[in-house]
Amino acid sequence: MVLQNWINGQFVEAHGSGRLEVISPVTEAVVAVSPISDSHDVDAAYAAAEAARLAWRRTTPGQRQQMLLAWADAIEGAADELVEAQYRNTGQPRDAIRAEEVMTGADHVRFFAGAARTLGGVASGEYMEGHTSQVRREPIGVVGQVTPWNYPIMMAIWKLAPALAAGNTVVIKPSDTTPESTLVLVRLTKGILPDGVVNLVLGDASTGALLTSHRTPGLVAITGSVRAGLAVAEAAAGNLARAHLELGGKAPAVVFSGVDVEATAEGIVGAAFFNAGQDCTAVTRVLVAREIHDDVVAALVAAAQALVVGNVEDAYYGPMNNRVHFTKVMEILAALPEHAVVATGGNRIGEQGFYIEPTIVTGVKQDDSIVQTETFGPVITVQAFDSEAEAVTLANGVDYALAASVWTRDVAQAARLAADIDAGCVWINTHIPLVAEMPHGGFKHSGYGKDLSVYGLEDYTRIKHVMTATEAS
């Protein structure tokens, strides 16, 4: 059976005649067939969103809060269905999907449900004699969104929840390799949100291009690669629409002398290989003080080799999401420079499924492609530094600026590094935890705009100045 779009509160057969096979990265078998939506489908989705826009924006924040809270309850109630739908497309450990995406995702919806009631403009004041000014914070209107395959449920919620809480209607397109769990998410809005407030179109990059270049949305948002983000920014610019871009990362973990080497290594390995490294904030580069370099490498190798990987109940991570990406990561490893040393890993696991061993590469140089380019897989590099200043230079010496961590017992040093490292988030003696109350987003080629927090909510609003004459004319 071919999957269907969700438009105006119901499943609708796509007009586009193209088809995509959705492949399990565990078994490499076809688990679903998705349509490639065309311009007729995208037009229909945006027409539904536009038709629902005025009524939805006129709901009060309290009304939107109650509906979003009901949606969060529905998400939790459908946890088993969501887990299985996502597992079919991603092969991620089921426990991780349940805990890190379904339950955490429902919590994030509840955060934005409450945050909707906190938005307001600047208090009114008199800045010209006989006139009172105030600032209104309003929804943008209709929003177009494109989500990735690495965390399908979570990324859809990060996009949908703030947009809806702010009073916008939405057309969203999930990744062509992981559509099923997002379809469940939007179906769960039936009977909770008015028809047309959330719409979903399925398809490939051509569908995404139609969605982001359409004249209807006032903002287009994407979580994805730098290449995809640049395409979205260009498409949005053609209509003078705003763009919200959460793109790639190449996060460093900077390790200084004096730390507990084994505990630090375990923390870094956990953050590097979670979700098979398919996380834009994952540790990818370990920068370590030269005097403890060898000890840290040994501890990293031991921690990596202790991880359980594969299609087993207690696996720490699952497969690469799709064959194209699996091939890309394996090609990156095959093309390592001669001076690079694979301390552990580097190989495919088994003959079925897109599994790769946790891999640690040492001996690399700052200008090596493995250091400069996002791998998005279970691979980390290790470099030594001789001073705090050199550590900062190495940390900042890539095009990305999404996340970083500093591992030290020196509080003042941690404060200096947190200020000097160019990243949207800097963790101290930990790496990768996220909370709904704090913003997520980067600088440079990691994009602009924030997910999560009230800052993420504000990104889906616009501000308007209203001036009223207070003296009779």
Side-chain angles (χ1 to χ4, degrees):
M1 186 178 73
V2 179
L3 301 175
Q4 295 182 317
N5 294 331
W6 179 265
I7 298 175
N8 203 29
Q10 61 184 336
F11 284 113
V12 178
E13 184 176 346
H15 178 274
S17 60
R19 297 293 182 263
L20 291 165
E21 291 183 337
V22 181
I23 306 296
S24 164
V26 175
T27 65
E28 302 182 46
V30 177
V31 294
V33 177
S34 171
I36 301 176
S37 296
D38 63 14
S39 60
H40 292 83
D41 299 305
V42 175
D43 286 345
Y46 273 126
E50 177 61 28
R53 176 179 63 85
L54 286 178
W56 181 244
R57 70 172 290 166
R58 288 171 179 160
T59 57
T60 67
Q63 290 171 329
R64 295 196 294 274
Q65 179 192 39
Q66 292 305 311
M67 286 182 268
L68 289 174
L69 290 174
W71 185 39
D73 290 344
I75 290 169
E76 286 189 342
D80 290 345
E81 182 183 6
L82 283 162
V83 168
E84 289 307 312
Q86 184 147 307
Y87 175 77
R88 285 195 297 272
N89 295 176
T90 68
Q92 296 163 300
R94 289 181 173 89
D95 288 346
I97 299 171
R98 182 180 301 273
E100 301 297 334
E101 297 198 54
V102 177
M103 296 307 176
T104 299
D107 176 69
H108 289 179
V109 172
R110 293 188 178 106
F111 167 80
F112 283 112
R117 303 185 71 160
T118 69
L119 284 176
V122 177
S124 59
E126 288 67 45
Y127 305 98
M128 178 182 290
E129 185 176 347
H131 296 78
T132 295
S133 288
Q134 67 181 93
V135 172
R136 289 175 52 87
R137 187 174 289 277
E138 301 178 337
I140 291 169
V142 178
V143 172
Q145 301 177 324
V146 178
T147 54
W149 46 253
N150 59 331
Y151 297 112
I153 294 170
M154 182 65 75
M155 294 298 98
I157 286 173
W158 282 17
K159 291 288 182 281
L160 289 170
L164 297 172
N168 301 284
T169 57
V170 177
V171 177
I172 189 170
K173 189 197 87 69
S175 168
D176 55 3
T177 67
T178 58
E180 292 192 81
S181 58
T182 309
L183 279 170
V184 176
L185 269 183
V186 299
R187 192 203 73 217
L188 293 173
T189 66
K190 183 65 175 178
I192 297 174
L193 302 180
D195 292 346
V197 170
V198 175
N199 306 276
L200 180 149
V201 291
L202 298 166
D204 59 9
S206 67
T207 309
L210 292 169
L211 186 146
T212 56
S213 62
H214 203 276
R215 292 184 60 83
T216 299
L219 179 145
V220 291
I222 183 173
T223 297
S225 67
V226 173
R227 175 189 54 77
L230 289 170
V232 168
E234 183 177 358
N239 294 315
L240 291 181
R242 286 161 55 180
H244 186 284
L245 311 176
E246 199 279 275
L247 309 178
K250 197 69 179 173
V254 185
V255 184
F256 289 93
S257 297
V259 299
D260 181 322
V261 169
E262 290 187 1
T264 298
E266 289 177 1
I268 290 173
V269 162
F273 299 124
F274 185 76
N275 202 35
Q278 297 170 122
D279 186 311
C280 52
T281 63
V283 175
T284 60
R285 300 179 293 136
V286 181
L287 310 177
V288 57
R290 191 174 301 278
E291 58 269 25
I292 59 169
H293 173 273
D294 293 350
D295 291 339
V296 169
V297 169
L300 290 170
V301 168
Q305 291 177 345
L307 295 178
V308 176
V309 182
N311 188 29
V312 293
E313 194 67 28
D314 59 344
Y316 186 69
Y317 68 78
M320 298 290 94
N321 176 258
N322 55 79
R323 182 179 297 279
V324 171
H325 186 58
F326 168 78
T327 301
K328 171 193 166 186
V329 175
M330 293 304 297
E331 288 175 348
I332 288 172
L333 292 174
L336 288 173
E338 291 185 1
H339 54 263
V341 177
V342 178
T344 189
N347 302 302
R348 179 178 187 171
I349 299 174
E351 297 181 357
Q352 184 183 67
F354 307 135
Y355 297 93
I356 298 177
E357 293 174 332
T359 302
I360 298 172
V361 182
T362 65
V364 295
K365 300 176 181 178
Q366 185 68 9
D367 59 355
D368 287 341
S369 178
I370 189 73
V371 172
Q372 292 293 322
T373 304
E374 186 176 40
T375 305
F376 218 60
V379 181
I380 58 176
T381 60
V382 185
Q383 296 168 265
F385 62 80
D386 293 305
S387 67
E388 186 177 303
E390 185 184 10
V392 171
T393 298
L394 293 174
N396 292 341
V398 296
D399 289 336
Y400 304 92
L402 182 59
S405 59
V406 179
W407 303 74
T408 178
R409 290 184 175 178
D410 186 332
V411 174
Q413 184 176 63
R416 290 193 300 272
L417 270 290
D420 291 344
I421 290 177
D422 199 11
C425 175
V426 179
W427 289 283
I428 308 298
N429 294 328
T430 188
H431 194 114
I432 226 169
L434 295 169
V435 293
E437 294 81 1
M438 291 291 111
H440 171 80
F443 316 126
K444 296 163 60 175
H445 280 199
S446 292
Y448 46 80
K450 298 298 180 184
D451 290 322
L452 301 177
S453 78
V454 293
Y455 300 102
L457 184 59
E458 289 175 355
D459 277 354
Y460 286 95
T461 66
R462 64 186 189 184
I463 55 173
K464 176 188 291 182
H465 171 219
V466 179
M467 179 179 278
T468 305
T470 57
E471 296 180 0
S473 57

